[in-house]
Amino acid sequence: MNGKADIALIGLAVMGQNLILNMDEKGFVVCAYNRTVTKVKEFLSNEAKGTKVIGAESLKDMVDKLKTPRKIMLLVKAGTAVDDFIHQLVPLLSAGDVVIDGGNSEYQDTSRRCNELAKLGLLYVGSGVSGGEEGARHGPSLMPGGHEAAWPLIKPIFQAICAKVNGEPCCEWVGDGGAGHFVKMVHNGIEYGDMQLICEAYHIMQSLGLSAPQMAEEFEKWNAAELDSFLIEITRDILNYKDSQGHLLERIRDSAGQKGTGKWTAIAALHYGVPVTLIGEAVYARCLSVLKDERMFASRRLKGPETQATVVNQAQFLDDIKQALYCAKIVSYAQGFMLMREAAKENKWTLNYGGIALMWRGGCIIRSGFLGNIKEAYTRQPTLTNLLLDDFFRCAIEKGQASWRTVVSSAFCWGIPVPALSTALSFYDGYRSAKLPANLLQAQRDYFGAHTYELLGQEGKFVHTNWTGTGGNVSASTYQA
């Protein structure tokens, strides 16, 4: 007998529960299941009380309650838990059924699972889900990829529950295999970068002696201008937050956690040979923050500049910080889109970069008005190789780069670490350079390892020089690592 549920969702942690309630609110019948079955009963008796949500006591019970073709979404811990559930589900499913992984799985795992389930006639989707608890409940950003034949089956549900911007859904098909999870991974990497840039701006303002309310006021102004975004907005709220002991922020230990997606982005950047330097520095900044005890010891032993952070015109310098943050943010997104472009080339994905920017405009953690400018850039030029070359962003950096350089150089002179702001500036200067000192690097490699080099005007011809007169003329193989 054909069941009555439109979709099943496995995993009743906060995200799973809120997605179920979101689907129910949009008119879909959801079957809820959790490995610990008592959680299903508790959910139905509390959060889901009065809804159309139904529960299942086993995977077979869940499968039996689904309309065909069956659609099952997993919201469980990435890794072996996903494989374990798939292994248990496969014998219960029929050809054409859809399995969706909505967790933060590594994109290579998603590609592997797509290939394995395709042999069994099952459709597999790896979907990025962004927005946290609030987004899951009221409209997340969704980034589905995998077997494209699954898209018409899940599209009505996904586009109903996702966030909307100007009536447009923040969800569209991304691409084959692990494309959806790759795009979500890059999203999270950019999130790391955005957060680190904001932290550096906060650190500079704090060093200048601004109080929490003064900083909150500044972030309020920024949020009404170019930096309009969720992360700027919540930074304002955090700075304003007070409890019985005063402003809470200054009592929070300065040791940052991470769940790995930023690190995965940095690893992918190294794998594909793309200089995603800002996200890498954001990851390293979190790693450095964790060395709290070492830093406390070092702070008593290592000396920095004696110059105190001070400026003649505070209002002007605060505007400089805003411009520096905006310019570095442009570089961060440019690097993220460079990485997606290179991965798409290698994996033969057809990614819609303007569509990805639109998916990120609402529901997700990095949502901002800025993403509308990225969408417009790719609408103007779908084959754009780098966001920095778009007229809008090129002009924005031309306008703000003097401020950017002032902020970075001042921070260096004051001994304030600005790894993300500074690496973004170094990337910009490197990218705009017609000539870099890599000619010397190539000569060094050839000198000690006979790795060869190309001469200007003779590209494609690799030659070796016997630099010492004693090394011989045999060269090593030419390769790219």
Side-chain angles (χ1 to χ4, degrees):
M1 182 178 73
N2 203 0
K4 62 178 181 178
D6 298 297
I7 188 169
L9 194 145
I10 299 173
L12 292 180
V14 173
M15 287 290 286
Q17 289 191 16
N18 280 295
L19 270 180
I20 289 172
L21 295 174
N22 186 346
M23 292 175 184
D24 174 80
E25 192 175 76
K26 300 301 188 297
F28 301 102
V29 177
V30 188
C31 181
Y33 177 74
N34 197 81
R35 196 190 308 241
T36 307
V37 180
T38 53
K39 288 195 72 171
V40 177
K41 295 174 181 175
E42 290 169 7
F43 177 56
L44 294 176
S45 302
N46 295 286
E47 293 86 358
K49 189 175 182 179
T51 69
K52 302 182 297 297
V53 179
I54 59 177
E57 296 186 354
S58 67
L59 287 176
K60 185 178 186 309
D61 182 34
M62 180 194 76
V63 169
D64 289 343
K65 288 177 175 175
L66 285 169
K67 296 174 184 176
T68 56
R70 303 174 186 92
K71 295 171 280 293
I72 299 167
M73 187 167 189
L74 301 169
L75 267 175
V76 298
K77 188 176 180 181
T80 55
V82 177
D83 286 318
D84 289 345
F85 269 114
I86 291 172
H87 181 71
Q88 295 173 64
L89 283 169
V90 162
L92 305 173
L93 301 178
S94 304
D97 288 346
V98 184
V99 178
I100 308 157
D101 175 14
N104 272 332
S105 289
E106 291 194 68
Y107 76 97
Q108 300 99 324
D109 285 342
T110 302
S111 295
R112 169 180 57 80
R113 290 165 186 149
C114 277
N115 292 332
E116 291 171 355
L117 293 190
K119 296 171 184 174
L120 303 173
L122 298 172
L123 302 176
Y124 192 74
V125 174
S127 179
V129 179
S130 181
E133 177 183 352
E134 190 73 12
R137 181 64 184 86
H138 300 292
S141 170
L142 299 172
M143 297 152 253
H147 292 137
E148 194 166 3
W151 180 228
L153 303 176
I154 65 171
K155 181 178 180 179
I157 299 174
F158 272 40
Q159 291 199 335
I161 67 170
C162 73
K164 312 291 188 302
V165 175
N166 299 325
E168 294 184 86
C170 295
C171 170
E172 193 50 76
W173 187 252
V174 176
D176 297 336
H181 273 140
F182 189 90
V183 168
K184 174 57 163 55
M185 178 195 74
V186 174
H187 163 283
N188 284 25
I190 290 172
E191 179 185 310
Y192 273 55
D194 272 1
M195 293 170 75
Q196 178 61 27
L197 288 169
I198 292 169
C199 288
E200 290 175 19
Y202 156 73
H203 194 175
I204 296 169
M205 288 192 284
Q206 188 182 46
S207 299
L208 287 169
L210 272 73
S211 66
Q214 286 174 316
M215 288 187 276
E217 184 181 346
E218 207 60 33
F219 279 98
E220 172 75 26
K221 292 176 189 173
W222 296 355
N223 197 48
E226 301 99 317
L227 291 170
D228 159 41
S229 68
F230 173 70
L231 286 170
I232 293 288
E233 185 180 315
I234 68 168
T235 302
R236 173 205 64 197
D237 295 345
I238 290 166
L239 285 161
N240 275 326
Y241 186 85
K242 294 172 75 174
D243 60 14
S244 59
Q245 298 178 58
H247 288 283
L248 174 62
L249 179 59
E250 292 312 308
R251 303 199 309 276
I252 296 176
R253 193 169 191 265
D254 56 315
S255 178
Q258 55 180 309
K259 289 193 172 180
T261 44
K263 180 176 73 174
W264 294 349
T265 309
I267 291 170
L270 289 169
H271 172 76
Y272 291 107
V274 180
V276 186
T277 54
L278 194 151
I279 293 171
E281 286 295 344
V283 173
Y284 291 135
R286 293 196 189 193
C287 296
L288 181 58
S289 78
V290 173
L291 305 178
K292 176 66 173 176
D293 293 340
E294 285 187 50
R295 290 189 289 110
M296 291 293 289
F297 181 80
S299 70
R300 298 188 293 269
R301 298 291 190 278
L302 305 178
K303 299 297 181 185
E306 299 295 331
T307 310
Q308 293 296 310
T310 181
V311 292
V312 175
N313 187 333
Q314 182 172 282
Q316 176 59 54
F317 195 78
L318 290 173
D319 187 68
D320 288 340
I321 296 173
K322 180 189 78 169
Q323 292 295 337
L325 184 51
Y326 186 50
C327 288
K329 183 183 175 84
I330 292 170
V331 167
S332 181
Y333 282 72
Q335 291 181 350
F337 277 82
M338 286 169 68
L339 178 57
M340 287 191 286
R341 182 174 291 278
E342 188 60 33
K345 190 188 305 179
E346 187 162 320
N347 292 286
K348 297 181 171 56
W349 297 330
T350 303
L351 300 184
N352 178 348
Y353 302 104
I356 290 168
L358 181 61
M359 280 190 278
W360 291 349
R361 276 201 67 192
C364 68
I365 303 302
I366 64 170
R367 60 186 182 267
S368 66
F370 174 87
L371 286 157
N373 302 128
I374 295 178
K375 170 72 168 67
E376 290 165 6
Y378 283 108
T379 298
R380 284 191 291 272
Q381 195 175 344
T383 58
L384 182 67
T385 55
N386 193 300
L387 282 173
L388 295 174
L389 301 176
D390 175 73
D391 285 345
F392 177 86
F393 293 111
R394 179 179 56 80
C395 291
I397 288 188
E398 283 179 7
K399 175 187 173 187
Q401 70 168 293
S403 292
W404 190 9
R405 296 180 192 282
T406 296
V407 170
V408 169
S409 58
S410 297
F412 280 173
C413 290
W414 297 332
I416 300 170
V418 284
L421 285 169
S422 60
T423 198
L425 182 55
S426 289
F427 172 84
Y428 176 73
D429 284 337
Y431 189 72
R432 68 177 186 81
S433 295
K435 186 168 174 54
L436 290 170
N439 55 327
L440 174 57
L441 194 150
Q442 281 298 84
Q444 291 169 333
R445 293 177 70 242
D446 190 56
Y447 188 109
F448 65 69
H451 291 298
T452 73
Y453 55 85
E454 298 169 284
L455 289 168
L456 292 169
Q458 297 181 38
E459 287 78 7
K461 180 183 178 183
F462 292 87
V463 296
H464 166 60
T465 292
N466 181 352
W467 297 90
T468 63
T470 60
N473 295 308
V474 178
S475 63
S477 300
T478 300
Y479 62 90
Q480 295 288 337

